[in-house]
Amino acid sequence: MSDYKKRFLASIFLKDEKAVRSFSDPTVINNDPAILAQEYSNSNVDGIIVFDLSAAGDDKAHEKALDIIKDICKASDVPVIGAGNVKRMEDIKKLLYAGCKKACLNFSKTGNIEILTEVSEKFGKDKIIACFSEPRQIDLIKEDVLKFVSELIYVGFNADNKAFPECEMPITVITDDSSFAQKPYKLFEMETRISGISGNVINDNALNISEYKEVCLENGIDILRLEPKFSFADLKKNSDGMVPVIVQDYRTDQVLMLAYMNEEAYNKTLSTGKMTYFSRSRNKLWLKGETSSHFQYVMSLTADCDLDTILAKVKQIGAACHTGSYSCFFNEIASKDYSEKNPQKVLDSVFDVIKDRKVNPREGSYTNYLFDKGLDKILKKVGEEATEMVIAAKNEGSNEIVYEMSDFLYHMMVLMAEKNVSWEEITDELSRR
């Protein structure tokens, strides 16, 4: 079990479309669970477990919870695990389609045990987690658990309960036991199979996760973290003993800024997951966003071929530039009149025009003609263009199919605008597959 990196996971308990304190405490802690998920995600947790606490049989509430879980998955940059109100294979599918990395079967419910084989074979063992509150719920079907489940979640764990299932599998414990708040490594030392800690012991201390990880490392606990393949000593420094860092938006690849790191800034960035630089003008360490709250959360760090420059892909909060501009690079020096070749920028540009036509109609616009005619007309055109694309694919030569595919994509984007679907939602879904 020591092969498993130890993790800290936040928990969100959904009830009546709000985030509540716990399974048994209905106190509302946030009216917008997606915002709470973003806060947890930004705090350096390794994942989020979402529990749908809507009443059994209340399908309407369950569907609303699934919509919120979808919003949570969009707001989070860490893996989301979906749990609660699972009764059939369809419920597992809905959680995964909402964007959850994995879905849970509650083994305190006999019906979930009965569908274990079916859901595991349908979606893959790596997508299925078993939740239990008593070890015997796992031990009674130990062989099936080992065959069809990737990990376990122990609900309601506390320091007085030393019993664990027999399965040699990674176990995440959900606990509110505050005795572990300052010394989380003690929980990992209690049982080697514990690979994750979640529950209010983490939620209540989310701002301390980076410190928790440092404490664990100091006590020999192998924690999931940003592990550099190069130490600062491996990098080539400039005359000031620093390395320049080019900062890029991880979603759009837009270059945001240029800054510098010394060894302390480099190590601080790795330990906290927040971009930290050395300010040459102030001659001190600089946590980006410390005063503005425009933090940059690390997605990846890459060194160039000479190991003398770092490319940082980040999630940028607010503006990167002190002027208020999103990027520091906005003073155009010179440019040619050229056609954009970046596929994403082209699609974004066309889609922006389509969305603008919907809000600001233009006389004689074909796009506005489609919007005026309504959804049925748009769907009819999407269908027609799809058929023409199929016919073109059967013909020789590539020009016709490129033309028909372009027509199809245009009409698809009109449909996206009509149904308020964004490219980000589409690409997020594709990246999960």
Side-chain angles (χ1 to χ4, degrees):
M1 288 298 107
S2 60
D3 291 341
Y4 292 99
K5 302 286 186 181
K6 309 300 184 183
R7 303 172 299 164
F8 294 110
L9 300 94
S11 297
I12 295 179
F13 303 93
L14 293 180
K15 189 173 181 62
D16 299 327
E17 301 176 57
K18 297 177 175 61
V20 300
R21 172 76 180 161
S22 67
F23 293 108
S24 56
D25 185 347
T27 303
V28 175
I29 61 171
N30 200 303
N31 289 316
D32 191 334
I35 289 178
L36 181 61
Q38 189 172 59
E39 291 173 357
Y40 286 150
S41 176
N42 291 342
S43 71
N44 207 16
V45 297
D46 303 306
I48 299 172
I49 307 174
V50 184
F51 293 93
D52 171 16
L53 304 185
S54 53
D58 190 341
D59 291 338
K60 186 176 180 180
H62 179 49
E63 289 299 322
K64 287 183 178 179
L66 286 167
D67 288 338
I68 293 172
I69 290 173
K70 182 179 179 181
D71 291 338
I72 287 172
C73 291
K74 286 170 59 179
S76 173
D77 291 305
V78 296
V80 175
I81 296 170
N85 246 323
V86 172
K87 302 179 287 295
R88 53 193 182 275
M89 185 173 72
E90 184 73 11
D91 296 318
I92 292 290
K93 183 178 80 171
K94 287 180 178 179
L95 285 170
L96 296 176
Y97 281 13
C100 294
K101 189 79 172 180
K102 297 186 178 185
C104 297
L105 289 171
N106 182 356
F107 276 18
S108 64
K109 297 179 179 179
T110 306
N112 279 347
I113 297 173
E114 293 173 353
I115 65 171
L116 172 60
T117 303
E118 181 184 19
V119 298
S120 183
E121 290 180 345
K122 172 70 174 178
F123 302 108
K125 173 182 177 178
D126 63 309
K127 298 287 187 182
I128 307 301
I129 297 176
C131 285
F132 68 95
S133 55
E134 297 178 20
R136 64 181 182 83
Q137 294 166 348
I138 300 298
D139 291 336
L140 288 172
I141 53 167
K142 176 182 174 181
E143 291 184 6
D144 283 344
V145 170
L146 289 168
K147 185 176 181 181
F148 297 115
V149 171
S150 61
E151 59 181 294
L152 304 174
I153 292 180
Y154 197 158
V155 177
F157 176 84
N158 62 69
D160 297 326
N161 188 354
K162 302 296 194 296
F164 279 83
E166 296 174 2
C167 288
E168 287 296 322
M169 297 182 69
I171 300 172
T172 294
V173 294
I174 308 286
T175 181
D176 296 340
D177 194 330
S178 60
S179 64
F180 296 112
Q182 299 307 315
K183 297 182 177 180
Y185 64 91
K186 291 291 185 183
L187 191 50
F188 290 127
E189 291 176 343
M190 178 184 295
E191 167 58 55
T192 58
R193 285 175 292 175
I194 294 179
S195 64
I197 304 174
S198 190
N200 284 322
V201 70
I202 299 301
N203 296 350
D204 294 344
N205 299 279
L207 295 178
N208 301 322
I209 297 302
S210 294
E211 295 175 15
Y212 277 13
K213 293 187 176 185
E214 288 296 321
V215 170
C216 286
L217 289 172
E218 290 169 4
N219 285 272
I221 305 296
D222 194 11
I223 281 288
L224 186 65
R225 66 194 189 283
L226 285 169
E227 294 188 68
K229 294 180 180 178
F230 299 98
S231 69
F232 192 75
D234 295 323
L235 304 177
K236 295 178 184 177
K237 273 70 73 175
N238 63 13
S239 58
D240 296 324
M242 289 183 279
V243 176
V245 184
I246 300 166
V247 187
Q248 194 175 30
D249 185 304
Y250 88 108
R251 285 189 179 273
T252 65
D253 285 344
Q254 182 178 5
V255 177
L256 302 179
M257 57 182 279
L258 171 70
Y260 292 83
M261 282 183 181
N262 62 4
E263 184 171 9
E264 186 181 6
Y266 182 75
N267 291 332
K268 198 73 174 177
T269 296
L270 290 167
S271 65
T272 64
K274 294 179 182 178
M275 293 301 294
T276 305
Y277 309 103
F278 186 84
S279 172
R280 296 174 300 167
S281 60
R282 289 175 287 175
N283 196 36
K284 67 176 186 178
L285 212 64
W286 166 35
L287 169 62
K288 175 66 176 172
E290 190 169 22
T291 56
S292 65
S293 295
H294 293 171
F295 295 104
Q296 293 173 342
Y297 296 98
V298 182
M299 295 293 116
S300 71
L301 299 173
T302 307
D304 72 342
C305 56
D306 295 320
L307 295 181
D308 62 6
T309 306
I310 295 171
L311 175 65
K313 293 201 172 187
V314 305
K315 172 186 172 184
Q316 174 69 54
I317 304 300
C321 184
H322 72 283
T323 64
S325 172
Y326 186 66
S327 167
C328 292
F329 295 91
F330 55 82
N331 292 307
E332 184 176 297
I333 297 172
S335 68
K336 288 185 175 181
D337 184 12
Y338 64 92
S339 297
E340 181 61 66
K341 298 298 183 182
N342 184 314
Q344 179 180 332
K345 289 184 178 179
V346 172
L347 291 172
D348 282 342
S349 177
V350 174
F351 193 40
D352 285 343
V353 171
I354 290 170
K355 288 187 293 183
D356 182 69
R357 290 289 187 273
K358 187 176 182 184
V359 178
N360 303 299
R362 181 174 296 183
E363 188 176 353
S365 165
Y366 174 67
T367 303
N368 283 127
Y369 163 76
L370 292 174
F371 284 134
D372 291 342
K373 289 296 183 179
L375 179 61
D376 286 346
K377 180 64 175 180
I378 295 170
L379 292 174
K380 184 173 183 291
K381 288 300 298 181
V382 170
E384 288 175 358
E385 298 301 338
T387 301
E388 290 179 15
M389 183 171 63
V390 170
I391 294 170
K394 298 290 287 183
N395 297 332
E396 292 183 6
S398 61
N399 290 340
E400 186 180 356
I401 189 169
V402 169
Y403 183 86
E404 297 300 346
M405 281 182 169
S406 299
D407 268 358
F408 175 78
L409 275 173
Y410 160 76
H411 287 90
M412 187 188 82
M413 283 189 274
V414 173
L415 177 59
M416 287 166 62
E418 178 70 11
K419 299 299 292 185
N420 294 314
V421 175
S422 68
W423 271 120
E424 187 173 277
E425 288 177 285
I426 300 294
T427 54
D428 281 352
E429 176 61 29
L430 287 171
S431 71
R432 287 192 292 265
R433 296 191 176 189

